[in-house]
Amino acid sequence: FADILLLPQALGSDLWFETGEGPRLSTVQTQADFENLLKPEEINETLAPVYETVKILSQELPKETTLIGFAGAPWTVATYMVAGRGTPDQAPAHALKNKNPDLFDDLIDLLVKGSIEYLSHQINAGAEVIKIFDSWAGSLKGQDFDKYALEPCKKIIAALKSKHPDVPIIAFPRQAGERYIGFAKKTGPRQTDPIGTGVMAWWISLLLLSMAALLWKKSCDSTDDVIALLERILATTLMLVVVLVSRNLLLETAVLIAAVQLPGVPRRPR
């Protein structure tokens, strides 16, 4: 585990924790604040313990266990850097991007480059899969979603794929709603790379329900009861398919079902 705020700390922000409340950061709200931050290539000394931990884990974990590298997406990390803490609606970040878009764009660009550096070093240390987590993507609407959630993620993925083409990437724009549709294609992961969304939970639930039905069938004396249960499972399955098709999510779900280690995706030797 590595907190998403390690990157801003490595860039020069002060980071501390308030008891019972959570993390706090020195804020970036002016050009002077931004100019005090470090360059992306200067972050690795601070982040060296993360890389060392990844290296140790890659050597100690069982071969069947996939090691996932992780970073917060630029928009989410920026919301903390601007506000100095978590906020319910990310209002400080929205205010800055509207009031001083050039400064905010520079901050996002810095976080894109820093994320590429950070994640690439995690891969070099032994991470087999990368996850980019955008906790607050759901607060971005319209073109802002494309500009601050989709495009930064696309740049990070393109850079990582150019250096590490065989490493799967998971991109998770949390609470993106209809914006989930086409996100994988627009950001550039291969069709074998998953997007993390809540839709996966439906398929897992359906699988567990089917397994329970099969187990019950073995212990059930009444054929009529078994048939009735299977009919319910079929009806639930058909309803789910209809919902997914109607929302154009069936293709997306096929991508989601792809697990972290996919058939045909070679494991890198440890």
Side-chain angles (χ1 to χ4, degrees):
F1 173 80
D3 193 273
I4 65 171
L5 300 183
L6 292 179
L7 179 56
Q9 182 187 36
L11 286 167
S13 295
D14 294 327
L15 172 64
W16 69 97
F17 288 81
E18 295 288 345
T19 303
E21 296 185 14
R24 297 289 185 269
L25 284 167
S26 55
T27 59
V28 178
Q29 298 180 347
T30 67
Q31 188 66 35
D33 294 335
F34 177 77
E35 291 175 358
N36 285 332
L37 297 175
L38 300 178
K39 297 178 181 179
E41 59 269 21
E42 298 176 311
I43 66 175
N44 294 310
E45 182 177 352
T46 300
L47 294 171
V50 175
Y51 308 146
E52 181 63 21
T53 300
V54 172
K55 181 178 179 181
I56 294 171
L57 284 172
S58 71
Q59 296 169 350
E60 298 295 332
L61 284 175
K63 290 184 178 181
E64 64 271 16
T65 302
T66 302
L67 180 57
I68 304 177
F70 171 82
W75 161 252
T76 289
V77 176
T79 66
Y80 284 93
M81 295 181 73
V82 173
R85 59 186 297 170
T87 55
D89 55 4
Q90 297 75 60
H94 285 288
L96 183 63
K97 73 176 173 60
N98 294 330
K99 180 181 178 181
N100 194 339
D102 290 340
L103 173 59
F104 194 78
D105 289 353
D106 286 344
L107 179 58
I108 291 292
D109 186 59
L110 176 65
L111 290 171
V112 167
K113 294 175 180 176
S115 298
I116 293 168
E117 184 80 7
Y118 184 32
L119 292 171
S120 186
H121 274 71
Q122 290 186 51
I123 294 171
N124 290 336
E128 298 167 288
V129 175
I130 289 300
K131 181 171 184 177
I132 305 168
F133 191 80
D134 208 347
S135 306
W136 304 125
S139 72
L140 290 167
K141 308 303 179 185
Q143 292 183 347
D144 278 351
F145 181 89
D146 293 340
K147 184 174 182 179
Y148 296 116
L150 193 152
E151 286 300 323
C153 190
K154 182 177 180 179
K155 291 177 182 177
I156 294 170
I157 290 170
L160 292 177
K161 286 294 187 181
S162 68
K163 299 178 181 179
H164 314 280
D166 295 327
V167 174
I169 297 173
I170 305 168
F172 183 12
R174 179 173 170 267
Q175 295 183 340
E178 296 292 339
R179 296 284 181 167
Y180 283 134
I181 299 173
F183 189 86
K185 186 178 294 184
K186 292 177 181 178
T187 52
R190 299 168 301 174
Q191 285 298 308
T192 52
D193 294 347
I195 299 178
T197 74
V199 178
M200 178 72 86
W202 286 95
W203 287 102
I204 294 173
S205 298
L206 183 61
L207 176 61
L208 293 175
L209 183 62
S210 301
M211 292 173 62
L214 292 174
L215 292 173
W216 189 46
K217 180 179 179 181
K218 292 183 178 180
S219 60
C220 188
D221 296 329
S222 171
T223 303
D224 291 339
D225 288 342
V226 173
I227 292 175
L229 180 61
L230 292 176
E231 286 176 346
R232 288 175 191 160
I233 293 174
L234 178 60
T236 302
T237 303
L238 291 175
M239 184 182 300
L240 178 60
V241 169
V242 168
V243 170
L244 291 172
V245 170
S246 67
R247 291 171 60 87
N248 292 320
L249 284 174
L250 192 59
L251 179 59
E252 295 292 332
T253 304
V255 178
L256 304 181
I257 291 175
V260 164
Q261 186 55 46
L262 302 139
V265 177
R267 294 289 292 267
R268 295 189 302 140
R270 290 180 177 172

